[in-house]
Amino acid sequence: KSTRGIVIGSAIGCVILFAISSAIILAVATMPETALTELPMIAVCANMHPVLEYVYAVLLFCAMFGASMSVFVPIPDFFCRFKAVKKHRLLFACVLSFIAWLGSNLGFSKLIGTVYPVFGYIGAAALVLIVIHFFKVIKKSPTEV
């Protein structure tokens, strides 16, 4: 509702992300051998207690499942604006799920090592284009911005 709320919310989000990333970095730094595994935090938990390994694995699975559902539920709705997709919505969702499954077989670290940089470059390009658009809008109507 206000700029102050946006700033406070952003600051809280930054602090939380910093705390989480710091905890992960410190945990892996304390047990450097875990950094060589595919899922270092599961290895950290396994070194602490065998039960923690399974608890963390279940929590990680739930987080991954929730993240994937937040992507795969709205995508067919988004693409239903095209007649071909709307007509074959179930087939589209199945093909998309199959492609995602194939990607998941590449291995977590390989997949993340490929996908994150690609999205980073796309995000950087989007930011540059947003800034360019902003300055074009200012140039056209400086009193309205």
Side-chain angles (χ1 to χ4, degrees):
K1 292 183 177 182
S2 69
T3 306
R4 185 173 187 264
I6 293 170
V7 171
I8 290 172
S10 297
I12 291 171
C14 288
V15 168
I16 291 171
L17 283 175
F18 179 76
I20 292 170
S21 62
S22 297
I24 291 171
I25 289 169
L26 288 172
V28 173
T30 334
M31 301 174 199
E33 68 277 2
T34 61
L36 302 173
T37 63
E38 185 134 354
L39 297 167
M41 287 307 295
I42 289 184
V44 167
C45 291
N47 283 345
M48 292 170 62
H49 195 279
V51 174
L52 283 178
E53 176 184 16
Y54 292 107
V55 170
Y56 188 84
V58 168
L59 291 174
L60 182 61
F61 176 76
C62 290
M64 291 168 65
F65 183 76
S68 66
M69 286 296 101
S70 70
V71 171
F72 278 111
V73 169
I75 283 180
D77 287 337
F78 176 79
F79 283 102
C80 275
R81 66 178 83 179
F82 304 109
K83 289 180 183 177
V85 175
K86 190 172 187 174
K87 186 176 180 182
H88 303 288
R89 180 186 171 134
L90 181 61
L91 177 64
F92 176 76
C94 290
V95 168
L96 194 63
S97 297
F98 182 72
I99 291 169
W101 175 77
L102 285 176
S104 72
N105 286 322
L106 295 174
F108 186 74
S109 59
K110 286 181 186 177
L111 187 65
I112 294 301
T114 304
V115 172
Y116 272 21
V118 168
F119 280 100
Y121 294 132
I122 291 171
L127 285 173
V128 168
L129 293 172
I130 288 169
V131 169
I132 290 170
H133 177 71
F134 176 75
F135 285 117
K136 284 183 178 181
V137 169
I138 285 178
K139 208 176 220 184
K140 287 183 181 177
S141 59
T143 57
E144 293 178 20
V145 175

